[in-house]
């Protein structure tokens, strides 16, 4: 491989990043809508006014709790713009509170009344400040793929992480 061929991650190869990181996992979330097949039913239920089901996202919450118990951090910075999209309202009501309760440091960067901060329009995970995975999406929020970035300029990703976190408020302090 000459470095120009993308390394796409799926299945266990993708899950291994969440299982095996040693210190930290950070995600920048830039899209306002994600169209995730695994969430279609619960998203419809949310829009219909249903109550959040017991055990919602329990597997992911166990992952967060296990990492937190081992001293590893999971942090996200979610960019939002008001009015919130239906999907963002779903995250704020059904998704994020459980993640925070499980131990994830989830922060909100409200860009509604702000000038451009210089953050990318690219979702990514940064594992252990050394491994970068881009999450690529179509305009409608459907994920195209997950791409391991080979030889990333880590200083750029670390600067984006730091800028996002400096510009964010904890989820618990955000007012919609």
């Amino acid at each position: 491989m000459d470095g120009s061929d993308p390394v796409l991650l799926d299945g266990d190869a993708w899950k291994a990043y969440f299982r095996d990181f040693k210190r930290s996992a950070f995600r920048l979330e830039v899209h306002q809508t994600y169209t995730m097949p695994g969430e279609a039913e619960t998203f419809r239920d949310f829009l219909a006014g249903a109550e959040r089901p017991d055990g919602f996202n329990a597997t992911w919450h166990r992952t967060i709790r296990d990492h937190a118990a081992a001293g590893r951090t999971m942090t996200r910075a979610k960019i939002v713009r008001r009015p919130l999209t239906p999907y963002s309202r779903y995250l704020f009501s059904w998704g994020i509170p459980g993640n925070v309760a499980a131990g994830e440091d989830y922060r909100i960067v409200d860009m509604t009344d702000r000038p451009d901060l210089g953050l990318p329009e690219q979702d990514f995970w940064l594992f252990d400040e050394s491994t970068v995975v881009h999450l690529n999406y179509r305009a409608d929020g459907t994920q195209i793929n997950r791409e391991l970035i080979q030889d990333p300029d880590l200083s750029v990703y670390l600067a984006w992480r730091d800028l996002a976190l400096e510009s964010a408020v904890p989820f618990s302090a955000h007012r919609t």
Side-chain angles (χ1 to χ4, degrees):
M1 188 179 285
D2 65 4
S4 63
D5 295 328
V7 176
L8 303 181
L9 301 172
D10 210 356
D12 194 58
W14 172 236
K15 291 176 186 172
Y17 284 89
F18 293 98
R19 186 178 57 238
D20 299 339
F21 74 88
K22 304 295 184 218
R23 294 176 310 282
S24 64
F26 168 81
R27 179 171 176 185
L28 180 65
E29 291 184 348
V30 302
H31 296 282
Q32 303 306 293
T33 297
Y34 295 93
T35 306
M36 306 297 288
E39 295 176 339
E41 184 178 338
T42 57
F43 183 51
R44 275 193 306 273
D45 291 347
F46 167 78
L47 292 176
E51 296 286 323
R52 180 177 55 214
D54 289 338
F56 180 75
N57 268 354
T59 302
W60 181 245
H61 296 157
R62 188 170 31 261
T63 297
I64 295 168
R65 280 193 303 276
D66 289 349
H67 284 303
R72 295 181 290 269
T73 61
M74 296 184 76
T75 306
R76 274 191 230 221
K78 167 83 176 132
I79 294 175
V80 298
R81 291 175 182 83
R82 289 184 307 254
L84 294 179
T85 63
Y87 186 84
S88 289
R89 291 193 334 269
Y90 165 73
L91 278 183
F92 277 50
S93 294
W94 283 26
I96 299 171
N99 291 10
V100 170
E104 185 172 13
D105 180 4
Y106 214 115
R107 302 186 195 184
I108 305 301
V109 182
D110 191 333
M111 295 299 299
T112 304
D113 298 318
R114 276 192 157 146
D116 180 24
L117 295 174
L119 292 169
E121 293 188 21
Q122 172 68 58
D123 278 48
F124 66 86
W125 278 99
L126 174 63
F127 297 97
D128 293 328
E129 299 185 341
S130 62
T131 302
V132 176
V133 177
H134 281 188
L135 304 160
N136 299 312
Y137 294 90
R138 292 186 182 93
D140 71 353
T142 302
Q143 190 171 79
I144 300 167
N145 59 35
R146 293 173 291 267
E147 179 183 356
L148 177 66
I149 303 304
Q150 300 182 57
D151 301 316
D153 182 344
L154 289 172
S155 66
V156 171
Y157 290 92
L158 292 167
W160 283 335
R161 178 204 60 194
D162 294 348
L163 178 60
L165 294 176
E166 290 165 8
S167 305
V169 298
F171 175 72
S172 61
H174 183 261
R175 301 290 174 249
T176 54

